[in-house]
Each structure stands twice: as C-alpha cells, then as structure tokens.
C-alpha cells in the first residue's frame, strides 16, 4: 500500500465519517479505518466520488497508508474505546507521528494520554470538535491542544476544513498544551447547556406569563435573531417552536417528552469548576434543570403542590413583557459567558496553558453550537484587554447590563409571582448582584466558622478569639467542630 494519505480517520460513525468526507472534499487524500470494516466500505461506496479515499481493514494497513509524519485522527466513543484504539495504533507509529483525538474526551484523560505518548515521541493532540455531524461535514469549530509543533503541520489542514467566521477567519486555533483543547471544548458545552436553559426559560415565560402560543413565540425568537441575540441556538429555537407534529396537529414542543438528556460534558464543566473554585452557578443550574426534568417519579408525586393562580396579561402588556424577557435573556447570557470564560481562565492558570481568551471567543464564532454574533464582542473585549478580570468589567457589557437590569429584575418578579421556574435567570442575577456588592454575607459565614472552629483560624485577632470563646461557652448548643 502506498503511503500517500495526508490524514487518516479511524472511527467512522457519524462524526468520523463526516470529518473524513470534509478532509476529502477539501482535497486531502484520506485513509479510512473502522473496527467494523463494513462502515469503511459503506463510506467509500456512498461517498467515494467526493474525493481521494484509501479504505483499509487492519491497523497495519491503515498506518502504512499514511504519509510521514503520520496524522491519525481518532473519532471513536470517548473513554475506554479511545484508550483501546491508542493501544492498538501507538506501537505501529514512529517518533514525530501524530494522534489526534477528536472525541469528547475528559481533559484529564487527554493530559494522561499526551504524557504517555510523549515518552514514545508521538505527538498527541486532544482536539475538541463542535458542530455535531453537520459541522463535521461542512466546517466545525475545532479546539486542538497538544504540542505546539504539531500545529505547524496539522494547523493548516484543520484551518481548511474548519468553519469560517463572518470575517473569514478559520474557527480553529492552537488552544494550548496537552488537555487545553478538550478543556475548552468542555466549557463550550457547559455554556451551551446554560444558553439552552436560558432560552427554555424565556420560552416558558412567554408561554405561561405572556400567554403566547408556540408559533407566536417562534416569531418573537425570529425577531430576536435579527438583533443582539443573533445566534444558531435562537435560530433553531424558532424552527423547533414553529414545527407542528403531523400525527396530532399539535405544536411539536407539546408532544416531545419534557425530559432533557445529557451526555456528561455539562456535568464535567460543573465538577471541574467546583475543583477549581470557580462559581459557574448558571451552568450548574442548567445541568440541574436537566437532571430535575428526568426525575419523573418525583415530579409526578409533586404535581399537585400549591402554586399561585395565573394572571392573564393584556395584548400590550404581553408585548411589553416580551421585550423585558429579551433584556433578561441577554443579561443572563452575558453572565453565563462570564462564568464560562472565568473557568477557562482558571483552568489555564492551574495547568499553565496560557490560553488566549480572545482567540477562544473567536473560534466559537462559527461552526459550533454556541456560535453567535455576540462572540465577536467578547473577542473584541479580550483583544482590547487580555487580562480583563471578567466580561462584566468590559465597559460595553457593563453598560448593556445596566440598561437591562430593571427589566431583568421585573421578569424575575413576574416569574416568582406566577410560579414559573427560572433558575438560570435567577442564578445569573444573583451572581451579578453578588459580584457588585460592597459587602457580602460571607462575613457572617466566616464569623460562624470562626465561632465553631476557632483554633483553625490563624487570622483571627486574639481579642476576637477570646471574646468568641467566651460566647461559645455560653451558647445553648455545643457547636460542631468542623464545617
Ligand atoms: P460514537 O461515539 O457513537 O462511537 C462509535 C464509534 O466508536 C464507531 O466507529 C465504533 O466502531 C467505535 N468504537 C467503539 Br463504540 N468502541 C471501540 C473500540 N473498543 N475500539 C475501536 N473502535 C470502537 O460515534 P460518534 O457519535 O461519531 O462520535 C465520535 C466521537 O465524537 C465521540 O467521542 C463523541 O463524543 C464525539 N462527538 C460527537 C458529536 C456528535 O454530535 N455525535 C459531536 C462532537 C463530538 P464500530 O463501528 O466498530 O462499532
């Protein structure tokens, strides 16, 4: 077999197959491999005319088909299958060759794999890929990590197959060493969860408080999509809401089971944020909201619980309320991104990745699920000040939130009065209010901690320690000794 393929893809389910076609359509010769060879042959049969494919059946054939340095993309189920594939191929590779894992790996696994393969001189590139099967075929947003040298030869190929932002910039950059790419992809997914939750809350408010039908709400989302909320998720929301179920004639949204699935990356975003001490309350609420939706028995048992009685809005009140919801949605969205970017910055500091936050915003502008006009503004904010403490410190975002806050608060008041759950909006506003607060009740929390754990508090002045000890003796209940 001639070693003429510039890149190889192993794992030819929906993502791998489309990514392989994307490379081929862009003029690269692509070696193909899959554990079950039938998938490989099916791809060539169906799409062989799209470009230069080299079908292989064994690992040896696959590796032999690749030009040096070899570039081998793995697109298999994340976790053990990825390790199995690495173990199969790594012994056949030589120093300087590259393994690119395009699956949704946990960044800690990527760090481990990169370290192990580095010992063999193999460059391991953990690359987050977003955009689903459509993106894989027509241009995804790609977040590669790994050794920077690998990007010299791999980068131009990824740039060619990636999505392009409106200004023509490719939606790919070398994010940083080892697990940086998969970390950024994980946070991308966390932000995606928050975005979807906020959109869901806006929908439910428009339906339950303003009394609009799904078709009317679809029109509202279409209008929003022409303004500052312009994004893929708002666009598809309008499509979903205007879709009618053929069998029942009902709005599609009324026949879909109201339980949202999750694959795990949103949960990882929250778990890692807890480890890093980063408050991503909006993302966490989005993860919990999906989790709550799946607790059917609990929901069934709670359905009859008391709630407020509904108040109908007039046509003009409903229209004014919809404008307020747009403000609340936009302000909450700024907070979600603020939290997500904080997590990226914290991960970067923890692992010495030196991630360029402006570049991250830039590569999310096209191809990925959270692509939005808004990301251009985030890019500008970080480009203007790389060390921006938070997106809320950017003058433009701060002014927009200042202009939105009255409506944001009013929407939450209505939600609470009408009993519409809005954990995302509420968490975002609480985060905003907590950040801008002159003093936080954390002072009291610390006082309580000092009270029951005096000896473990080195900074407590002796005078206070003595005084608190005295009071502790007088306390009617003995305090516990740990928090
Ligand atoms: P799946 O995640 O469904 O994985 C199926 C592929 O993994 C098949 O090629 C299968 O081979 C292979 N595989 C498995 Br399962 N176990 C294996 C093993 N032990 N050894 C070798 N191959 C094995 O495919 P996908 O949905 O195309 O996703 C691929 C990757 O891309 C995943 O990591 C996913 O998280 C990520 N991703 C997916 C999306 C999306 O929208 N689907 C978006 C972004 C990222 P077989 O044919 O022989 O069973």
């Amino acid at each position: 077999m001639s070693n003429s393929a510039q890149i190889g893809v192993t794992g030819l389910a929906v993502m791998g197959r489309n990514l392989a076609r994307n490379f081929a359509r862009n003029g690269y010769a692509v070696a193909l491999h899959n554990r079950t060879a039938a998938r490989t042959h099916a791809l060539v049969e169906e799409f062989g005319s799209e470009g230069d494919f080299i079908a292989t059946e064994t690992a040896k054939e696959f590796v032999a088909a690749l030009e040096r340095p070899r570039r081998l993309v793995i697109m298999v189920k994340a976790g053990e299958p990825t390790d199995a594939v690495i173990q199969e191929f790594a012994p056949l590779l030589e120093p300087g060759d590259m393994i690119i894992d395009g699956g949704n790996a946990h960044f800690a696994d990527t760090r481990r794999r990169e370290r192990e393969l580095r010992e063999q001189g193999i460059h391991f590139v953990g690359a987050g890929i977003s955009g689903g099967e459509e993106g894989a075929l027509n241009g995804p947003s790609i977040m590669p990590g790994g050794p920077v040298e690998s990007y010299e030869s791999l980068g131009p190929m990824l740039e060619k197959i990636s999505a392009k932002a409106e200004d023509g910039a490719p939606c790919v950059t070398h994010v940083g060493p080892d697990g940086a790419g998969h970390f950024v992809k994980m946070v991308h997914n966390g932000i995606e969860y928050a975005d979807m939750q906020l959109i869901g809350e806006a929908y439910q408010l428009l339906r339950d408080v303003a009394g609009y039908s799904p078709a009317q709400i679809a029109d509202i989302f279409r209008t929003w999509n022409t303004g500052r909320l312009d994004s893929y998720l708002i666009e598809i929301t309008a499509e979903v809401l205007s879709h009618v179920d053929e069998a029942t004639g009902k709005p599609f949204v009324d026949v879909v089971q109201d339980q949202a699935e999750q694959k795990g990356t949103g949960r990882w975003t929250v778990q890692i944020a807890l480890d890093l001490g980063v408050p991503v309350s909006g993302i966490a609420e989005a993860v919990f909201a999906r989790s709550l939706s799946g607790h059917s028995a609990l929901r069934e048992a709670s359905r009859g619980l008391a709630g407020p009685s509904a108040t109908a809005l007039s046509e003009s009140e409903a229209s004014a309320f919809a404008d307020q919801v747009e403000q609340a949605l936009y302000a909450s969205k700024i907070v979600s991104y603020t939290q997500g970017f904080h997590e990226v910055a914290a991960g970067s500091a923890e692992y010495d990745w030196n991630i360029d936050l402006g570049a991250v915003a830039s590569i999310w502008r096209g191809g990925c699920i959270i692509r939005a006009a808004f990301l251009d503004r985030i890019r500008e904010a970080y480009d203007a000040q790389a060390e921006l403490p938070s997106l809320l410190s950017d003058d433009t975002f701060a002014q927009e939130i200042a202009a939105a806050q009255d409506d944001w608060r009013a929407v939450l008041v209505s939600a609470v009065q009408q009993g519409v759950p809005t954990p995302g909006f509420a968490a975002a506003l609480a985060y905003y209010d907590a950040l801008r607060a002159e003093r936080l009740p954390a002072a009291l929390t610390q006082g309580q901690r000092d009270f029951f754990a005096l000896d473990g508090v080195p900074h407590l002045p002796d005078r206070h320690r003595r005084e608190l000890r005295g009071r502790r003796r007088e306390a009617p209940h003995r305090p516990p000794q740990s928090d």
Side-chain angles (χ1 to χ4, degrees), residues 11-16 34-36 39 75-78 80-81 84-85 88 102-105 129-133 185 263:
L12 300 172
V14 281
M15 288 296 286
N34 193 68
R35 178 179 62 176
T36 314
R39 276 199 208 271
M75 284 306 283
V76 302
K77 201 175 171 68
E80 280 172 22
V85 172
E88 187 180 5
N104 269 339
I129 298 184
S130 178
E133 39 186 304
K185 170 68 180 3
K263 283 191 188 162

Side-chain angles (χ1 to χ4, degrees), residues 6-35:
Q6 289 142 299
I7 194 138
V9 181
T10 181
L12 300 172
V14 281
M15 288 296 286
R17 156 193 181 111
N18 282 358
L19 203 66
R21 290 172 61 199
N22 189 350
F23 276 115
R25 287 165 162 201
N26 276 286
Y28 297 110
V30 187
L32 302 172
H33 177 268
N34 193 68
R35 178 179 62 176

